[in-house]
Amino acid sequence: MSSNIILTGIKPTGDPHLGNYLGAILPALDMARQNANEKKYFFIADYHALTTVKNKQELLEYRHKIAATWLSFFEGIDHCYFYFQSQIPEIFELYWILSCFCPKGLLNRAHAYKALVAKNIDQGYDPDRHINHGVFSYPVLMAADILLFHANKIPIGPDQKQHVEIAIEIVKNLNKIMDKKIPLPEPIIDTSNNLVIGIDGQKMSKNYNNTLPIFSDEKELKKRIGKIQTDSTPLGEPLNPDNCNIFKLFSYIASTDEIANLKQEYQSGTIGYGHAKKYLLSAYKSYFESKKNKYDAYMANKASLEHALNTSSKSVKEIANAHLKDIKMAIGILA
């Protein structure tokens, strides 16, 4: 029997970018390789995306892009399950059950909700302006994602740590009446990449439109790299790699030797920022090339993509149904 069950998901709210890769995909990939014989759940959190995405065509496209991304990176790794969150209705049934075991005060203290309330107050608006219930109860749905599969290893970014902590508090309450106790989840955070910068030097985020997409074509990638902000150091003078956004982005996807070589060129004064951007473009294309070929093949054949997710989700549904049945028996819904 597996000692660890790994689970993580990505919201389909935009094109998959370098921040998604370093913050979610790469840590999950490392864990999957290190735990070859354990169960691993990787899902597309399309219902979570509804808190912000309200356009039908956008959501359909983003769902496929994230699904193709998961499959492209994890092809050939055993014991992996891929599914759309929306394919597993048991998650949403459990979401309501957990809502009845979740103190409202826990959700009042959620960082994302508090930040939105504080912003409204600062701007003189009603505290709950433009905050839908999905935003408020988001941590409960995330708890259902995790607890339904008895997942105990949850690779996440630092900003999601509190959500896993909320899931722990909820399951402690639920376990008081459970004969078969649900394991407490543990957040697994890769501290080596707490902040992935975007092309403007801020945290890489779709909200800031400062991302480097993983699978964009060369023309679009070159355009985005061309927008990376730099200082006014003229060609012929040494460049400082320590405060250069190009160098930092290069360091995310280059080898130790490549980083050392570029640093030497910076300090020698033999290159300018235009040359550095060309190096970044070349390294970026090379790093993701094999995965991009797989991704493009999936995106060119949506029927094949849907089939792969549907096939994988059959096993997921069976596990979800069995675990939900245990919970429903414990609360008195089933005899």
Side-chain angles (χ1 to χ4, degrees):
M1 185 175 180
S2 294
S3 57
N4 288 322
I5 296 177
I6 299 164
L7 180 145
T8 193
I10 298 178
K11 286 193 299 182
T13 54
D15 290 338
H17 58 75
L18 184 62
N20 298 141
Y21 172 73
L22 294 173
I25 298 170
L26 184 58
L29 193 57
D30 289 341
M31 285 195 71
R33 289 168 174 158
Q34 293 164 11
N35 297 270
N37 296 320
E38 315 288 10
K39 287 182 179 178
K40 298 165 282 283
Y41 296 94
F42 304 108
F43 67 99
I44 300 92
D46 44 3
Y47 265 65
H48 278 299
L50 286 175
T51 59
T52 55
V53 180
K54 300 297 193 293
N55 181 286
K56 172 184 175 181
Q57 292 304 319
E58 282 186 358
L59 186 55
L60 285 170
E61 186 69 7
Y62 291 153
R63 288 171 78 251
H64 285 137
K65 286 181 175 180
I66 299 301
T69 298
W70 276 130
L71 294 177
S72 298
F73 279 102
F74 285 81
E75 185 175 82
I77 300 179
D78 294 334
H79 306 296
C80 291
Y81 299 90
F82 302 95
Y83 55 98
F84 292 111
Q85 183 187 36
S86 56
Q87 290 177 318
I88 315 298
E90 290 84 358
I91 293 172
F92 310 102
E93 193 169 350
L94 180 57
Y95 162 71
W96 174 252
I97 294 171
L98 296 182
S99 295
C100 298
F101 285 83
C102 176
K104 180 175 177 289
L106 267 181
L107 303 184
N108 288 340
R109 295 190 291 274
H111 298 321
Y113 170 69
K114 286 174 62 179
L116 291 172
V117 170
K119 182 178 179 181
N120 280 334
I121 292 173
D122 288 345
Q123 295 178 350
Y125 295 122
D126 181 89
D128 290 323
R129 179 179 182 263
H130 293 167
I131 301 176
N132 57 59
H133 182 264
V135 170
F136 181 70
S137 62
Y138 185 106
V140 184
L141 181 54
M142 185 168 166
D145 292 325
I146 296 168
L147 302 178
L148 183 59
F149 299 103
H150 295 188
N152 63 334
K153 300 293 182 182
I154 317 297
I156 53 168
D159 58 334
Q160 293 291 312
K161 181 174 182 286
Q162 188 194 36
H163 288 159
V164 179
E165 292 170 345
I166 290 173
I168 291 171
E169 294 306 310
I170 294 174
V171 75
K172 284 179 179 178
N173 288 334
L174 183 61
N175 273 343
K176 292 174 183 177
I177 63 167
M178 293 291 298
D179 293 326
K180 300 178 183 178
K181 306 301 182 186
I182 298 172
L184 301 186
E186 176 189 356
I188 307 298
I189 300 172
D190 181 6
T191 56
S192 63
N193 281 307
N194 282 346
L195 174 64
V196 179
I197 67 162
I199 58 176
D200 59 355
Q202 299 185 79
K203 177 184 177 181
M204 187 173 288
S205 170
K206 293 180 284 284
N207 295 332
Y208 302 145
N209 193 30
N210 66 352
T211 64
L212 283 182
I214 299 173
F215 299 125
S216 61
D217 59 41
E218 182 173 351
K219 182 179 179 181
E220 174 61 21
L221 186 57
K222 184 177 181 180
K223 180 180 177 181
R224 285 186 175 250
I225 289 176
K227 293 180 178 179
I228 297 175
Q229 296 178 5
T230 60
D231 61 30
S232 57
T233 303
L235 183 63
E237 291 189 14
L239 305 177
N240 184 356
D242 295 332
N243 61 4
C244 176
N245 294 336
I246 305 169
F247 189 87
K248 182 64 174 177
L249 288 164
F250 183 85
S251 72
Y252 293 142
I253 45 88
S255 68
T256 302
D257 287 344
E258 288 170 332
I259 294 169
N261 290 337
L262 182 58
K263 185 174 185 178
Q264 186 176 30
E265 290 198 55
Y266 263 56
Q267 295 171 337
S268 70
T270 58
I271 66 169
Y273 290 122
H275 301 96
K277 289 179 179 180
K278 289 180 181 179
Y279 283 138
L280 174 59
L281 175 62
S282 177
Y284 202 88
K285 287 169 53 185
S286 176
Y287 187 86
F288 290 112
E289 183 178 15
S290 64
K291 305 306 180 186
K292 185 179 187 309
N293 291 336
K294 294 177 183 178
Y295 173 87
D296 289 344
Y298 278 120
M299 291 301 292
N301 189 344
K302 302 289 180 60
S304 173
L305 181 61
E306 290 280 356
H307 176 73
L309 270 292
N310 287 334
T311 300
S312 179
S313 69
K314 288 180 181 178
S315 297
V316 177
K317 288 179 181 179
E318 291 175 2
I319 295 167
N321 185 269
H323 287 173
L324 182 63
K325 183 178 179 181
D326 290 339
I327 295 170
K328 291 168 75 172
M329 291 178 69
I331 63 176
I333 296 297
L334 291 178

